[in-house]
Amino acid sequence: MLVYALQVAFGLFSLALLMNIIRLIRGPSLPDRILTLDTIYINSLALLILLGIWHDTAFYFEAALLIAMLGFIGTIAAAKFLLRGDLIE
Amino acid sequence: MTELPVWADWVISFFIILGASFAFIGSLGLLRLPDFMARLHAPTKNTTLGVGGVIIGSILYFSTTDGLSLHELLIAVFLFLTAPISAHLLAKAGLHLELELSENTRDFRTKPEQYSDKDD
Amino acid sequence: MSKLVPAPWWSLFLLAFWLLLQNKVSVGATLLGLVLAIIIPLYTLRARDYRTTLHHPLLGVQYFFILLGDIIVSNFNIAAIILRPRKSIKPALIEFPLAISGSVPITILASTISLTPGTISAELGRDGRSILIHALNVDDPEATIQQIKQRYERRLKEIFQC
């Protein structure tokens, strides 16, 4: 059962990433694109966790945690840049 | 993958499918909703909870196969703490850039200048 | 004691975080975690420019579980809104008058608003007395404000006594 569930989940997350990429290309504004990049980060870290279950290994955990942290910092930095036109005040 | 007890198999599958469906709906919302402020709702809520479901599945899987494993909780806690913050900053950026709102948005602000970021 | 451990909750959080990161509880990991949990607050305490005290920790736990339930409900709500035709949603910008003060309670309230059904906190007013909320689908803005006041703000006021 878990094998099929994982395959379905892989499919759903890949479709989600595909829709994100459409939104990334269509825009229309910069905040939209930043939001989409944030969503892409979160979806890919979920894919990494699923891959960890698939291969039965905990090694992907650190990578997923790092993606979560870097994704957050990146989103904040980009949003701050849009707000101020400057990163460090 | 190692063999699992039947109940664990079903419970883990349930959480993973639930999480994946939520993340899918979140991205669908990102694609479908009409304006930026509305689109902000979908990824912050649905995608975050979707990853939460996947993480619960992962915790259950590793806890049943090789001993208690809770470190995935760190990712979940981190995501739930940071999702509102990035949403807030992006909403601020959207207001600041005065992005177009969809035509059926109603504005109940009595003093819009209270919320503008301009320094004039 | 209070000189060595100036922020006990924070130290406890750091220790729990460290042990979760190790993913096992051993004597060595716990000792190193204890050392870190004492040193890091001492070193970074000066950077904390806010003071806050938790008056009712138990109510805080209750608040956490209410929030968890509401997050799940809110996800079904948003999912239903996303799957329905896009012309039929009624977004609105609402001003929410704040009755609480202090940076930590307001931050928690704003995060709560962002995580719960159909609302996102977009901006804090310049005077710090109101929050601008974007709601995805509302008929009656007054009802939304009352719901947030009754459900979350009242509890936060009780927890932090502000």
Side-chain angles (χ1 to χ4, degrees):
Chain A
M1 182 62 199
L2 187 56
V3 181
Y4 302 115
L6 279 175
Q7 283 166 348
V8 172
F10 279 132
L12 283 174
F13 273 111
S14 309
L15 281 177
L17 280 174
L18 203 66
M19 291 190 292
N20 290 344
I21 287 171
I22 296 174
R23 174 52 74 193
L24 189 65
I25 294 169
R26 281 212 334 223
S29 62
L30 271 176
D32 272 308
R33 295 202 164 97
I34 299 170
L35 178 66
T36 312
L37 277 177
D38 192 48
T39 317
I40 289 178
Y41 275 125
I42 297 178
N43 278 333
S44 41
L45 91 87
L47 270 177
L48 264 183
I49 296 172
L50 287 177
L51 204 62
I53 302 179
W54 183 261
H55 289 310
D56 196 12
T57 164
F59 290 131
Y60 291 109
F61 161 74
E62 273 85 5
L65 190 61
L66 275 179
I67 290 181
M69 292 183 169
L70 289 178
F72 172 63
I73 304 284
T75 311
I76 293 300
K80 209 79 185 130
F81 180 74
L82 281 189
L83 271 173
R84 299 276 181 226
D86 203 352
L87 276 188
I88 299 157
E89 288 169 46
Chain B
M1 286 205 277
T2 41
E3 276 303 305
L4 288 167
V6 178
W7 66 269
D9 201 37
W10 281 93
V11 173
I12 296 168
S13 305
F14 169 74
F15 276 114
I16 286 177
I17 293 286
L18 191 74
S21 321
F22 269 127
F24 178 78
I25 292 174
S27 290
L28 188 67
L30 187 65
L31 190 62
R32 273 195 76 199
L33 290 171
D35 63 11
F36 172 70
M37 293 299 264
R39 281 198 281 272
L40 202 50
H41 286 266
T44 46
K45 296 191 184 79
N46 288 34
T47 309
T48 310
L49 193 80
V51 177
V54 170
I55 282 169
I56 292 175
S58 170
I59 289 175
L60 287 174
Y61 177 77
F62 287 108
S63 296
T64 42
T65 51
D66 48 32
L68 190 63
S69 158
L70 287 175
H71 61 177
E72 288 92 339
L73 264 185
L74 285 180
I75 300 180
V77 170
F78 188 79
L79 280 181
F80 275 96
L81 284 180
T82 56
I85 300 172
S86 39
H88 180 76
L89 268 176
L90 282 172
K92 261 173 103 98
L95 279 181
H96 180 65
L97 297 176
E98 287 163 0
L99 295 181
E100 215 174 298
L101 296 170
S102 78
E103 68 270 25
N104 43 7
T105 303
R106 290 153 303 157
D107 196 342
F108 292 105
R109 283 179 293 185
T110 46
K111 289 174 289 186
E113 72 281 359
Q114 268 280 321
Y115 305 101
S116 86
D117 222 23
K118 299 221 162 56
D119 295 326
D120 47 25
Chain C
M1 190 65 191
S2 64
K3 257 209 150 55
L4 191 63
V5 189
W9 289 109
W10 189 14
S11 298
L12 200 66
F13 172 78
L14 284 174
L15 181 61
F17 196 98
W18 177 256
L19 288 177
L20 275 178
L21 208 56
Q22 300 294 321
N23 208 15
K24 61 176 191 293
V25 180
S26 64
V27 181
T30 316
L31 276 179
L32 190 53
L34 274 175
V35 171
L36 288 175
I38 290 172
I39 286 178
I40 293 175
L42 282 181
Y43 186 66
T44 55
L45 193 68
R46 276 183 304 162
R48 294 219 306 184
D49 55 354
Y50 50 86
R51 276 271 152 260
T52 185
T53 35
L54 213 59
H55 286 267
H56 296 281
L58 274 181
L59 280 179
V61 174
Q62 187 203 20
Y63 184 82
F64 174 77
F65 282 107
I66 290 174
L67 186 58
L68 210 61
D70 284 357
I71 289 173
I72 294 167
V73 172
S74 94
N75 273 279
F76 283 103
N77 275 346
I78 301 285
I81 292 172
I82 288 171
L83 295 176
R84 101 174 48 147
R86 51 188 278 176
K87 286 285 170 215
S88 67
I89 66 168
K90 287 186 240 157
L93 285 166
I94 308 171
E95 268 180 44
F96 178 80
L98 281 170
I100 55 177
S101 55
S103 46
V104 176
I106 292 180
T107 308
I108 295 179
L109 184 66
S111 300
T112 307
I113 289 171
S114 289
L115 281 172
T116 48
T119 47
I120 272 189
S121 58
E123 180 76 286
L124 184 64
R126 273 194 186 174
D127 53 0
R129 303 302 316 152
S130 59
I131 296 182
L132 182 65
I133 293 176
H134 182 268
L136 188 50
N137 195 17
V138 284
D139 291 318
D140 179 12
E142 199 52 42
T144 312
I145 292 176
Q146 281 312 316
Q147 196 198 355
I148 293 171
K149 273 209 179 307
Q150 286 304 317
R151 210 168 160 75
Y152 310 113
E153 196 180 30
R154 188 173 54 81
R155 288 197 168 87
L156 281 177
K157 208 175 172 66
E158 219 170 312
I159 293 169
F160 290 102
Q161 305 274 320
C162 53

